[in-house]
Amino acid sequence: MIGTLYFLALLVSTLAWGHVGVWSELATRNGTGDGVRCTCDAFLPSSTFPIRDLIVVEETAGEISHRLELEIGKLEEYTLKMTAYAERIVTLTAKVEIMEKNSDDYSDADLEEIKVEIKQVEALIQELQLSIKSSTDVFESLRVQITAMVTTLDKLEKTYDKNLVLATRREYTEIQLKLEECEKRHQELFNPNIGSCAHSGITKLGKPIVSQFNAHLSAGYKYGGWGKDSKPIPDRESMYWYSGYTTSSIHDIRFYTNYKNLILRTPFLHQTLVTGWAGTGNNFIVRENCLYYQINSPFGLAKLNLTSVKYQSRVIAGASSSFSYSNSPNQNFDFSADETGLYVTFAKDETRGKMVIARINEESFGIEEEWITSLYKPGVSNAFMVCGVLYAVKTVDIHTEEIFYMYDTKTKKEYYVSVPFERFQDKYSNLDYNPTDQKLYMYNNGYYVSYHLWFNQTAPTTKQSPIAPNSQNITGNVM
């Protein structure tokens, strides 16, 4: 949603001003704290008003209004759920009163423990309700502003008044700031426990959030990936990356300072892989400013340190080039990063295509430990790691994927589960989890797509294996 809004800003900027310079954020310090000022260089056109572009903008604005209404509906749904939880607390409080009347059956410690738990949950619910209400107000405000924005553009078509153009520019600057605040609040609502593994697994995925078409704006770039650094270095926390091609090859990668510049297609770095280090497959990730990807000569793992521009390669004994995912060619090695570290999955001929999980030592670029699963890799459409647990995905139909399998590297046990989710379009080539925002990033038929994840937060605060509720243990120790 936010990405589409920035895309609208780009289109309107082009429409109203003819040419738009690079967006920038200027951080200023003073005695009261830090501030952020956003600027944009623009040049007024001397040509006639581009009416065709105006029609595109109006259509896009209509789509955004519809998507905003959907997002507001989701937040209202959460409000209803929180109300239901509050009612359960009231019921639990009534039970406590009964316990107090039969105090001989319970110790004082039992009563006090339950009372404290109730108060903590009540406080949490109240806090979430306030957050949801605040986010809902922001989304509604943005919807109204976008409607007014379309009206302003309609006037521009008739009058082409430069003063109105400048007024629209100021309005967009204000909207941009509010969008950033909206994204922050939205993030807090959906991901209150970033970095925590105190949960028992994924319970569901949100609707696909489509940011835009690939940076090449070409339907032929069906292969590739995008996302964020899973362990960003200082001052690169907001950085995004993208790499795409017409085949399952890796020749270059683009980096953007933030989400706006990703959507505006203005990279600050375009890194081309040197001769002899081109890769293949759609399995690459960026971690701690290093690109990890598959290389074919020799067949193995490759690492490019983007700070020092130093290349490394590693060969894994027994790894096979015969087994890839069901809908993505040459994806023999698949890199994943989560809260616990860096991993790569692959298959071996000696295991007859069963998927192997390997933890990578990031400093030495060597393999620390391996786990052999019972999962046949060609029967899987993709996989990713969360909190040391492998989640495997398969295709259900042309619109639906399903997380159907889990392997816990801590307990060495595997499970069948069922967590369906919706695809934006039929084919996708890359699916990766990022622990910095607890989102899934998918490169879906040339589009940037992402998903919010929900976890079962009923696990105790002590560390334990994140096993999904109601899952079926299919095997014990498989090593």
Side-chain angles (χ1 to χ4, degrees):
M1 177 192 65
I2 302 301
T4 307
L5 289 171
Y6 279 123
F7 188 42
L8 173 65
L10 169 65
L11 288 175
V12 174
S13 299
T14 305
L15 163 67
W17 308 319
H19 170 71
V20 178
V22 177
W23 284 92
S24 63
E25 294 181 353
L26 177 61
T28 60
R29 294 186 179 273
N30 51 42
T32 59
D34 296 339
V36 175
R37 177 166 60 86
C38 298
T39 63
C40 178
D41 296 327
F43 303 90
L44 292 172
S46 58
S47 59
T48 58
F49 195 89
I51 297 177
R52 183 175 300 176
D53 288 345
L54 175 65
I55 295 173
V56 173
V57 172
E58 289 177 338
E59 292 175 349
T60 304
E63 296 175 1
I64 291 173
S65 296
H66 175 66
R67 295 187 66 184
L68 277 173
E69 291 174 1
L70 291 177
E71 292 298 325
I72 293 172
K74 293 178 183 178
L75 296 176
E76 291 174 349
E77 177 184 350
Y78 277 94
T79 303
L80 294 175
K81 289 184 178 181
M82 292 301 100
T83 302
Y85 293 154
E87 292 175 353
R88 291 176 59 186
I89 293 298
V90 172
T91 302
L92 186 55
T93 303
K95 291 181 180 180
V96 170
E97 293 176 353
I98 295 175
M99 293 171 64
E100 289 178 331
K101 293 178 181 179
N102 299 276
S103 58
D104 293 339
D105 297 335
Y106 303 94
S107 67
D108 292 340
D110 292 332
L111 293 175
E112 288 302 321
E113 183 179 353
I114 293 178
K115 288 180 180 179
V116 170
E117 181 181 352
I118 290 173
K119 290 180 180 179
Q120 291 175 341
V121 175
E122 285 178 331
L124 178 60
I125 290 176
Q126 290 173 0
E127 180 181 350
L128 287 175
Q129 285 176 325
L130 290 175
S131 298
I132 292 171
K133 183 181 183 301
S134 177
S135 296
T136 303
D137 292 341
V138 171
F139 281 117
E140 176 63 20
S141 173
L142 287 172
R143 186 187 65 79
V144 173
Q145 285 186 297
I146 290 173
T147 302
M149 187 168 57
V150 174
T151 302
T152 302
L153 291 174
D154 186 52
K155 292 179 181 179
L156 285 175
E157 178 191 8
K158 298 175 182 178
T159 64
Y160 200 34
D161 189 329
K162 294 182 179 180
N163 291 326
L164 282 177
V165 173
L166 295 176
T168 304
R169 173 184 178 180
R170 288 193 295 271
E171 289 177 13
Y172 279 151
T173 301
E174 294 175 1
I175 289 176
Q176 174 189 332
L177 294 174
K178 289 189 177 182
L179 283 173
E180 291 174 351
E181 178 64 21
C182 176
E183 173 73 5
K184 179 180 178 182
R185 296 187 182 186
H186 201 251
Q187 183 75 8
E188 292 172 351
L189 172 65
F190 283 97
N191 303 296
N193 299 307
I194 297 292
S196 172
C197 288
H199 57 75
S200 57
I202 299 172
T203 57
K204 72 171 183 176
L205 279 68
K207 292 286 186 178
I209 301 173
V210 183
S211 297
Q212 70 155 41
F213 211 23
N214 58 64
H216 296 87
L217 298 181
S218 170
Y221 284 75
K222 298 181 182 297
Y223 301 95
W226 77 292
K228 299 183 69 176
D229 191 317
S230 62
K231 190 180 179 182
I233 61 176
D235 299 325
R236 296 286 178 92
E237 291 83 359
S238 62
M239 183 184 74
Y240 284 81
W241 58 267
Y242 156 75
S243 179
Y245 206 61
T246 55
T247 65
S248 57
S249 300
I250 310 167
H251 296 275
D252 60 357
I253 184 168
R254 291 170 170 81
F255 295 90
Y256 307 83
T257 54
N258 51 39
Y259 192 82
K260 297 190 303 296
N261 288 330
L262 171 75
I263 301 305
L264 294 173
R265 306 191 305 282
T266 54
F268 73 89
L269 173 64
H270 181 187
Q271 182 70 50
T272 300
L273 301 180
V274 299
T275 303
W277 285 95
T280 188
N282 304 278
N283 38 44
F284 38 87
I285 63 170
V286 176
R287 183 171 176 83
E288 205 167 9
N289 213 40
C290 293
L291 171 66
Y292 293 89
Y293 63 102
Q294 175 180 316
I295 193 170
N296 281 347
S297 183
F299 176 69
L301 316 180
K303 175 183 179 180
L304 167 59
N305 186 314
L306 295 158
T307 304
S308 62
V309 196
K310 177 184 177 182
Y311 291 83
Q312 291 178 270
S313 66
R314 290 288 183 272
V315 174
I316 298 182
S320 175
S321 60
S322 301
F323 304 99
S324 184
Y325 289 137
S326 59
N327 61 356
S328 184
N330 301 319
Q331 200 155 343
N332 310 117
F333 291 108
D334 186 9
F335 290 92
S336 297
D338 66 6
E339 295 81 356
T340 64
L342 177 64
Y343 299 85
V344 63
T345 58
F346 55 94
K348 297 182 177 182
D349 290 325
E350 64 182 81
T351 64
R352 298 181 180 180
K354 291 181 180 178
M355 190 176 293
V356 178
I357 308 167
R359 185 200 299 272
I360 298 174
N361 184 305
E362 297 174 52
E363 184 174 351
S364 67
F365 196 34
I367 300 300
E368 292 182 337
E369 191 173 1
E370 289 187 1
W371 299 267
I372 301 175
T373 74
S374 65
L375 190 65
Y376 185 58
K377 184 171 181 177
V380 176
S381 54
N382 223 291
F384 56 92
M385 300 290 296
V386 179
C387 288
V389 176
L390 174 75
Y391 290 84
V393 178
K394 67 178 181 181
T395 299
V396 177
D397 54 44
I398 60 173
H399 301 296
T400 309
E401 291 287 296
E402 180 188 43
I403 298 174
F404 73 101
Y405 171 93
M406 297 167 57
Y407 183 95
D408 190 337
T409 60
K410 290 181 286 297
T411 63
K412 302 176 183 177
K413 293 182 179 180
E414 45 192 356
Y415 303 82
Y416 282 131
V417 294
S418 179
V419 184
F421 62 97
E422 177 185 342
R423 286 199 309 277
F424 171 61
Q425 289 195 1
D426 184 17
K427 297 294 184 181
Y428 71 96
S429 59
N430 183 290
L431 183 68
D432 264 312
Y433 170 77
N434 193 297
T436 66
D437 54 15
Q438 292 186 333
K439 291 182 181 179
L440 276 183
Y441 289 87
M442 174 186 284
Y443 189 70
N444 191 175
N445 206 24
Y447 287 86
Y448 304 148
V449 181
S450 62
Y451 297 85
H452 287 291
L453 297 183
W454 279 264
F455 299 93
N456 183 357
Q457 302 290 349
T458 59
T461 55
T462 56
K463 292 184 178 180
Q464 73 169 39
S465 173
I467 303 305
N470 301 321
S471 60
Q472 179 185 358
N473 186 347
I474 57 174
T475 183
N477 207 334
V478 298
M479 288 193 69

